[in-house]
């Protein structure tokens, strides 16, 4: 064998030095992990163990925290330890018709027993949303279409439970 052939073979077996991880990689991985653990925390505390607003439910309190997923809004009121789950609710009279976009921290949220309406008080002004109504005050749908979907709401089907 020739000498230069042996040298070439030896070089192929030499271990290459590993490059240290870059800061970008470290921050990206830790960012994904932080988001993952935050979502798990929200699922356990807010989404899984939330109180469902029913027709007979009554509450009144200041909003401490708001979360939203898949059309459902989760609201934590002061002096309470469980979130309230609000079905998708819209009121097209407001700039932000979806309730999750409309609500702010420190708004006062109230619901009376035997009612399907949520009342929001902000800076001494009152607003309202009908729970589960995605077409309330919509100008682009017919009255027949709105009334049909209004009857499909979960909370309307519970009306008989109130006495």
């Amino acid at each position: 064998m020739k000498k230069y052939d042996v040298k070439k073979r030896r070089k192929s077996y030499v271990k290459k030095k590993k490059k240290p991880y870059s800061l970008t990689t470290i921050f990206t991985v830790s960012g994904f992990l932080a988001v993952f653990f935050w979502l798990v925390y929200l699922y356990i505390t807010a989404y899984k163990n939330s109180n469902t607003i029913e027709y007979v439910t009554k509450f009144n309190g200041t909003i401490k925290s708001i979360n939203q997923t898949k059309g459902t809004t989760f609201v934590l009121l002061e002096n309470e330890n469980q979130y309230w789950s609000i079905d998708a609710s819209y009121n097209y009279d407001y700039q932000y018709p979806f309730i999750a976009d409309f609500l702010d921290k420190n708004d006062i949220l109230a619901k009376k027993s035997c009612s399907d309406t949520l009342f929001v008080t902000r800076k001494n002004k009152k607003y309202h949303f009908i729970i589960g109504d995605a077409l309330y005050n919509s100008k682009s749908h017919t009255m027949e279409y709105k009334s049909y979907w209004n009857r499909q709401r979960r909370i309307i089907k519970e009306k008989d439970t109130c006495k």
Side-chain angles (χ1 to χ4, degrees):
M1 233 182 219
K2 296 180 182 176
K3 286 186 179 180
Y4 64 88
D5 286 339
V6 173
K7 286 182 183 178
K8 283 184 183 178
R9 283 190 202 152
R10 283 186 189 160
K11 284 184 182 179
S12 65
Y13 292 110
V14 174
K15 291 184 179 179
K16 295 180 181 178
K17 290 185 179 179
K18 291 184 179 180
K19 293 182 181 179
Y21 294 111
S22 69
L23 285 176
T24 307
T25 306
I26 292 170
F27 285 128
T28 303
V29 170
S30 21
F32 281 125
L33 287 174
V35 167
F36 173 75
F37 285 116
W38 175 249
L39 290 174
V40 168
Y41 169 77
L42 279 179
Y43 176 76
I44 291 170
T45 60
Y47 308 149
K48 189 175 178 188
N49 297 320
S50 64
N51 296 324
T52 303
I53 294 179
E54 297 173 359
Y55 198 70
V56 294
T57 305
K58 176 183 175 181
F59 60 82
N60 189 357
T62 305
I63 297 175
K64 183 176 167 183
S65 175
I66 306 164
N67 291 301
Q68 184 273 133
T69 185
K70 296 182 182 178
T72 304
T73 305
F74 297 92
V75 176
L76 181 64
L77 302 178
E78 286 184 1
N79 302 323
E80 292 190 11
N81 55 4
Q82 278 191 314
Y83 282 80
W84 287 100
S85 171
I86 305 170
D87 296 342
S89 304
Y90 291 78
N91 187 340
Y92 287 93
D93 281 346
Y94 308 135
Q95 180 181 2
Y96 300 106
F98 182 49
I99 193 167
D101 298 332
F102 182 84
L103 293 175
D104 287 331
K105 286 184 180 178
N106 299 321
D107 285 350
I108 297 171
L109 187 65
K111 183 190 173 299
K112 296 176 184 175
S113 182
C114 299
S115 172
D116 64 346
T117 306
L118 285 173
F119 296 96
V120 180
T121 307
R122 177 186 299 157
K123 298 179 184 174
N124 296 325
K125 282 184 93 178
K126 292 201 180 225
Y127 306 93
H128 68 281
F129 287 85
I130 296 179
I131 300 169
D133 193 349
L135 302 172
Y136 186 62
N137 291 331
S138 172
K139 312 290 188 258
S140 61
H141 296 91
T142 66
M143 287 304 291
E144 294 83 23
Y145 185 78
K146 288 188 225 179
S147 65
Y148 170 76
W149 283 108
N150 190 26
R151 289 188 307 272
Q152 303 303 316
R153 295 185 299 138
R154 175 192 57 82
I155 202 162
I156 289 299
K157 295 178 181 179
E158 299 173 356
K159 267 189 169 180
D160 296 334
T161 61
C162 194
K163 295 181 182 184

